[in-house]
Structures are given as C-alpha cells and as structure tokens.
Amino acid sequence: SWWKKTLYLTGGALLAAAAYLLHELLAIRKEEELDSKDAIILHQFSRPRNGVPSLSPFCLKMETYLRMADLPYQNYFDGKLSPQGKMPWIEYNHKKVSGTEFIIDFLEEKLGVNLNKHLGPHERAVSRAVTKMVEEHLYWTLAYCQWVENLHETQKMVSLFGPFSDLLKWIFCHLTKGIVKREMYGHGIGRFSEEEMYTLMEKDMRTLAGLLGDKKYIMGSTVSTVDATVFGHLAQAMWTLPGTRPERLIKGELINLAMYCERIRRKFWPEWHHDDDNTLYESEESSEASKTYSPLQDFSFYSRTETFDEEGNSISQTPDTDYTGHSLFDSDVDMDEYRDHEQCK
C-alpha cells in the first residue's frame, strides 16, 4: 500500500542521511588528525597486495625521495586526489602541493634539502633530460604493459576491501585500462602498434643501462633526485610485471639495472621484502638473511634516521655480495664477469 511505500522511502532516506553524516564526521576527524604542524603528509594510493610499496611509479618516486632526503613523513592512503586531480600530493603546514617536481621544489625551498647539490650545471642538465625521458616516454610504455597487456596480473595486486572488492577491482582496473589507452593515444605513443611501443621501451631501458654503466647511481657514486625517478619506474618492471618483456629485459640482458634497483631497495627500503625475490642477485648467505626482514608496513609516521648508521648502511642487515665477495652496493662490480658467471651456472 501507499503508506508502506512511504515508510520504506522515508526509512531509506533517513538511513542514507545517517550514513552521509557519519561519513562526514569521520572525514572531519581524519582532517583533524592531519592538522599537524611542520609534518609532511604524503597522500598516495593504498599499498598493493604483492609487497611492492606502490603500483604508481610517481607515488614510489615521491616516497623514495623522502627517504633519500631523510625527511620524516606521514602516509595517508585515502585515495583522494589533489585539487589538480593528481596523485601523489603532500600537505605541509596546511599548504597543498601536487606534482612530484613541484613537491620536490617546494621541499627544497621550505626545508633546505637538496639531493643535487653535488652536481654541476652539466650534470643537472643531464639529470633533468633523463627525468623527462623516463616520466614522459618510458612511463607510457610501462603503463601499457601494466594496465593493458598484463591487466589480469595487475588486478591481483590491487588492494581494495569490502564485500564487493572483487567486483570493484574489476571495474577499477578496466576503467584504468580505458583511461590509459585514451591518454596514450592523445600523447601520440598509443597510435603505434604494440611491437613498436615495446621497441621504444627497449630503447629507453637500454639508454638507462648505458648511462648507468657500472656506476652506483645514475649520476655517480652519490644518490641524486633522478635516482628516485628512475627507481620508481624501473621497480614496476622489476617487481610488478611478471613474465613480461620489461621484466625479462631488466632481469636478463640489462642486469646492471636490476642490481641498481636492488641496491636502492635494500638501502632505502629495508622493510620491503617478499617471498618472490629473484635470488639471481643474492648469495646463499644473503638469501637466508633476507628471510628475517619484516613485512612492508603502512607507516603512520616514518623516518629512516634511526634505521641506518652514519655510512647509510642498514644496521639490521649485511650487504649482499656477488660470487666474488663484492658488495652489490659497490660501484666496482665487474658486470661482464658477473654476467658470464651467471650464464654458466
């Protein structure tokens, strides 16, 4: 009857209103928790299920940069985009900044940090050129592999919770696939065939491998901002694209890039460890020691100041070595000799 329908509609409206008010109250409470003076609040996507800190190269870049610069920060996995529609973004003293380049400029100005102070004008120019190649070119080919060709594997890694999490993951991943394809087409790189796109990706990765050579980091023996960028992107090929061409390339022919990723991961992410680690870059001793790592945490507040000694080495672990006894963190590893040895095993 009409009065029952009216009752149901009224009850439903009241429940909806109550849910909305509860949501708003929780949001206000969260905003109050974020109201922390002189604290860097890093907004980014939730941790994926495979132990990697982020499926977003830019989120991983930003968090790695904060660790490289030894800046304490607080993660906030709310999934809320910045006013410009970007992710990641930060809040600092109620100032909101988005875009990793602008965030780094902002932190350098406000906090006086500078990972590039040891670089000369020419090196700074090279560093910026490499950054733009990675973020504006290599990024798109990796995104295609992650969200189009290898979507079924990426969907397993996405972290969503709730009674309809599987359905929501399927919807989210396929929406992202459509967005990536559309933006790649607008960029221009998406107008090429898949084989042509992978040819471009391989050229970029070979360029990085040639630039790195046997050095410890991209610009030499000391870490700089470009390393956060390169690591954030290569880590996707290294740990989030199983069985794909980028993974085969970085773990095969371009082994110096794989060792570079391991070097940064173990120095700045001592808690990042998962059971699928490729032991190609480990000795038997280090492989056993790696089993004592603690799982990756969703830190409410993080600083690496007390995690490392004065030399920047992790206090809780022994640096990995290759078969000659050289540390994989060192820049004097003979890459050709190491590669020949592994091929003969």
Side-chain angles (χ1 to χ4, degrees):
S1 59
W2 66 269
W3 64 269
K4 286 186 177 181
K5 292 180 180 179
T6 303
L7 181 62
Y8 291 150
L9 290 173
T10 303
L14 289 173
L15 287 174
Y20 175 78
L21 288 174
L22 179 60
H23 176 271
E24 290 300 310
L25 289 173
L26 291 174
I28 292 173
R29 182 177 178 182
K30 286 182 178 180
E31 291 298 328
E32 290 174 351
E33 292 175 355
L34 289 176
D35 189 14
S36 178
K37 184 180 179 182
D38 297 330
I40 300 172
I41 309 299
L42 177 61
H43 295 259
Q44 61 169 312
F45 297 114
S46 298
R47 302 288 197 207
R49 293 177 178 269
N50 66 332
V52 177
S54 181
L55 295 177
S56 164
F58 293 98
C59 289
L60 183 53
K61 167 194 173 179
M62 195 67 250
E63 191 168 2
T64 301
Y65 171 85
L66 291 171
R67 292 175 176 229
M68 288 177 172
D70 200 11
L71 293 175
Y73 63 94
Q74 180 177 352
N75 271 318
Y76 205 59
F77 302 101
D78 55 353
K80 180 181 178 182
L81 301 178
S82 72
Q84 294 82 12
K86 304 286 285 184
M87 187 73 90
W89 57 286
I90 69 163
E91 291 182 82
Y92 182 78
N93 285 345
H94 307 291
K95 173 72 174 179
K96 298 179 180 179
V97 187
S98 65
T100 56
E101 185 172 356
F102 292 117
I103 293 173
I104 291 172
D105 290 344
F106 173 81
L107 294 176
E108 287 181 352
E109 178 184 352
K110 293 294 183 182
L111 303 178
V113 296
N114 189 350
L115 294 181
N116 298 331
K117 60 185 178 182
H118 63 287
L119 302 180
H122 175 74
E123 293 173 313
R124 289 172 186 260
V126 172
S127 178
R128 179 166 176 77
V130 172
T131 296
K132 293 301 111 179
M133 179 194 74
V134 171
E135 294 185 344
E136 305 296 339
H137 199 261
L138 177 62
Y139 163 75
W140 291 109
T141 55
L142 292 176
Y144 175 84
C145 187
Q146 189 173 43
W147 295 103
V148 180
E149 184 195 11
N150 210 43
L151 183 65
H152 62 288
E153 292 293 337
T154 302
Q155 186 173 327
K156 298 176 185 177
M157 303 176 195
V158 172
S159 179
L160 289 176
F161 301 97
F164 304 104
S165 60
D166 290 338
L167 176 61
L168 291 175
K169 282 200 299 183
W170 187 92
I171 294 173
F172 169 78
C173 289
H174 283 78
L175 284 175
T176 304
K177 173 183 177 179
I179 293 171
V180 168
K181 292 181 71 174
R182 184 176 68 249
E183 292 189 353
M184 288 182 68
Y185 189 86
H187 175 281
I189 197 170
R191 302 178 188 227
F192 297 112
S193 68
E194 180 177 292
E195 186 62 31
E196 289 171 327
M197 283 191 286
Y198 278 126
T199 297
L200 296 175
M201 176 209 70
E202 184 172 335
K203 287 183 176 181
D204 288 343
M205 292 181 67
R206 289 187 183 279
T207 297
L208 291 173
L211 181 62
L212 176 64
D214 61 356
K215 299 193 300 294
K216 205 169 186 179
Y217 301 109
I218 295 296
M219 301 308 297
S221 60
T222 305
V223 71
S224 58
T225 302
V226 68
D227 291 298
T229 302
V230 175
F231 175 75
H233 287 73
L234 290 183
Q236 307 304 318
M238 186 81 174
W239 291 293
T240 73
L241 299 173
T244 62
R245 290 172 65 172
E247 187 201 48
R248 293 196 299 271
L249 189 61
I250 195 173
K251 292 183 177 180
E253 189 175 349
L254 306 182
I255 192 174
N256 65 328
L257 293 182
M259 296 173 70
Y260 167 81
C261 288
E262 288 284 358
R263 186 176 302 125
I264 292 180
R265 184 185 79 155
R266 298 178 189 196
K267 182 170 184 178
F268 298 102
W269 292 89
E271 79 284 6
W272 173 3
H273 175 72
H274 50 82
D275 294 333
D276 296 329
D277 282 342
N278 192 313
T279 58
L280 174 63
Y281 318 104
E282 300 178 317
S283 64
E284 293 182 3
E285 293 82 0
S286 65
S287 180
E288 288 297 322
S290 67
K291 295 178 182 179
T292 64
Y293 283 41
S294 58
L296 187 68
Q297 301 292 320
D298 287 351
F299 292 103
S300 59
F301 194 77
Y302 177 84
S303 173
R304 76 177 192 90
T305 304
E306 298 180 356
T307 310
F308 298 87
D309 61 22
E310 294 179 355
E311 297 298 324
N313 298 316
S314 174
I315 296 173
S316 60
Q317 68 181 83
T318 302
D320 289 340
T321 57
D322 70 355
Y323 75 101
T324 66
H326 287 100
S327 169
L328 298 187
F329 295 159
D330 292 340
S331 59
D332 58 353
V333 177
D334 189 332
M335 298 300 300
D336 292 333
E337 183 183 358
Y338 184 82
R339 187 182 299 111
D340 293 341
H341 171 79
E342 290 299 331
Q343 289 176 350
C344 292
K345 285 175 67 176

